[in-house]
Amino acid sequence: MKTISLLSIITILLSCSGKSQEIPTITTKIKLKEASAIEVTNKSDLGWVIEDSGNKNVIYGLNSKGEIAHVILVENAKNVDWEDLTSDENGNLYIGDFGNNDNKRKDLCIYKIEASSLKDNTANAISKISFYYPNQKEFPPKKSELFYDSESFFEYKGNFYIFSKNRSKGFDGTVLVYKVPNKAGNHKAEFLGQFISCASYQKCAITSADISPDGKEIVLLSANKVWVLSDYKGDDFLKGKMEMFELNDVTQKEGICFKDSKTLLIVDEKDKKTGGNLYEIKLSDLKSKANSSGNP
């Protein structure tokens, strides 16, 4: 089970809807401007964070106060556009280098960092999992078909599940879901299906994902929302229950993970006077104080 203790000042985030509902949240400032992911593994007591394109090929370990307690330079993996982190049941960490804002990339990949390397100051990716989207024929495609960026994935029973970030003109909330095997090589991503988040790009583009330690719930993140998927069978995630919960503010939220089966961690990028935080939210509080639910 993933475990990490994050002790900090408890604050209340006011609802952006103006309603009286409030979500109790532990909020901690972090010294990273462009945190793009957070992950807790079952072999470490640190929360692992990366920054995206334009930053170093470095993994940061945050301690219980949100301070940078450990830094790992990944020597053989360039940060083209690192967007999300996930881990497997053995504590290995995976970096999703598949940010693709312009939908031009042909080098999308995932790097595997062995659990034992997380204690070192330098590490090498021991595996590179490359993949491509079989339904992308043009690089870039038309502006109305920019479906091939992603900032979200998780590992589950030997496979990665990737959720697209729709950048199409006339954004309608369409999210594509793909499956890629967790093994070295260049793989044709398997298209599993699609769903509609909601119609506002600012508030509905998916920026991170995670699956609970017991495999029973999936969370997806946007600037001010969390979707929870549950009651699915196997990896037929889109055939189960989907609920949408509003967070209390709109910031550039980029990373979400399960601290444990009952608690979520979220990070956002720093933008002028907002963001640059690590948030801890009880899943039960999020559900009980939700402003809306269901798949719009």
Side-chain angles (χ1 to χ4, degrees):
M1 177 176 291
K2 299 178 180 180
T3 57
I4 182 171
S5 176
L6 293 168
L7 303 177
S8 56
I9 300 173
I10 295 182
T11 64
I12 301 296
L13 297 180
L14 298 178
S15 171
C16 62
S17 68
K19 298 183 179 181
S20 61
Q21 294 168 319
E22 298 173 339
I23 302 173
T25 304
I26 298 176
T27 305
T28 306
K29 284 291 182 183
I30 56 176
K31 293 182 179 180
L32 292 171
K33 184 178 179 180
E34 296 185 343
S36 65
I38 179 133
E39 177 66 5
V40 176
T41 77
N42 59 9
K43 295 293 180 70
S44 173
D45 60 356
L46 298 177
W48 299 103
V49 176
I50 53 173
E51 296 185 294
D52 56 17
S53 62
N55 290 287
K56 298 177 180 179
N57 46 315
V58 165
I59 306 168
Y60 301 91
L62 304 184
N63 65 15
S64 62
K65 297 180 181 179
E67 300 167 337
I68 298 174
H70 191 57
V71 177
I72 304 170
L73 175 66
V74 184
E75 295 186 310
N76 65 337
K78 182 181 178 181
N79 185 349
V80 178
D81 195 356
W82 293 3
E83 287 291 357
D84 207 4
L85 292 169
T86 189
S87 59
D88 60 26
E89 61 184 10
N90 296 315
N92 300 309
L93 191 67
Y94 298 87
I95 304 168
D97 189 357
F98 41 52
N100 191 18
N101 290 12
D102 297 325
N103 283 225
K104 293 180 179 180
R105 289 184 64 181
K106 296 183 179 181
D107 59 349
L108 306 174
C109 66
I110 297 164
Y111 294 108
K112 178 179 181 179
I113 308 298
E114 198 168 26
S116 60
S117 297
L118 297 178
K119 67 181 186 301
D120 300 326
N121 295 320
T122 61
N124 282 307
I126 62 170
S127 179
K128 181 179 180 181
I129 302 97
S130 298
F131 67 93
Y132 61 95
Y133 300 112
N135 43 345
Q136 182 175 9
K137 307 301 181 183
E138 297 179 307
F139 298 82
K142 298 175 182 178
K143 291 184 179 180
S144 59
E145 299 175 0
L146 297 177
F147 296 114
Y148 306 106
D149 183 21
S150 178
E151 298 184 0
S152 315
F153 81 139
F154 58 80
E155 203 273 354
Y156 179 63
K157 294 186 176 180
N159 292 287
F160 299 107
Y161 295 87
I162 300 170
F163 297 78
S164 70
K165 184 174 185 181
N166 186 346
R167 293 185 178 273
S168 300
K169 183 178 180 181
F171 178 87
D172 65 356
T174 297
V175 180
L176 308 182
V177 185
Y178 293 90
K179 178 179 179 178
V180 172
N182 183 358
K183 59 182 180 180
N186 187 27
H187 305 285
K188 174 182 173 181
E190 179 185 353
F191 176 66
L192 296 182
Q194 64 186 58
F195 67 95
I196 303 297
S197 58
C198 51
S200 166
Y201 175 80
Q202 181 187 15
K203 298 179 180 180
C204 308
I206 304 300
T207 59
S208 188
D210 198 21
I211 191 166
S212 60
D214 59 13
K216 294 182 178 180
E217 291 185 296
I218 293 163
V219 289
L220 305 175
L221 179 70
S222 73
N224 78 324
K225 294 176 176 60
V226 173
W227 288 261
V228 179
L229 284 61
S230 60
D231 296 338
Y232 44 79
K233 294 182 179 180
D235 65 357
D236 200 358
F237 305 128
L238 301 184
K239 293 289 181 66
K241 180 180 180 181
M242 179 179 290
E243 301 171 280
M244 184 182 75
F245 304 106
E246 294 225 7
L247 300 172
N248 293 325
D249 58 352
V250 180
T251 64
Q252 194 169 341
K253 296 180 179 69
E254 294 283 337
I256 191 169
C257 76
F258 281 90
K259 169 188 168 182
D260 52 45
S261 61
K262 298 179 180 180
T263 312
L264 299 175
L265 302 179
I266 295 173
V267 290
D268 57 9
E269 292 192 8
K270 185 173 178 57
D271 181 19
K272 296 181 180 179
K273 296 182 179 180
T274 66
N277 296 314
L278 170 64
Y279 308 94
E280 180 176 332
I281 301 173
K282 290 293 183 183
L283 196 55
S284 59
D285 288 337
L286 182 68
K287 292 180 178 180
S288 65
K289 302 298 183 181
N291 293 326
S292 62
S293 64
N295 185 5

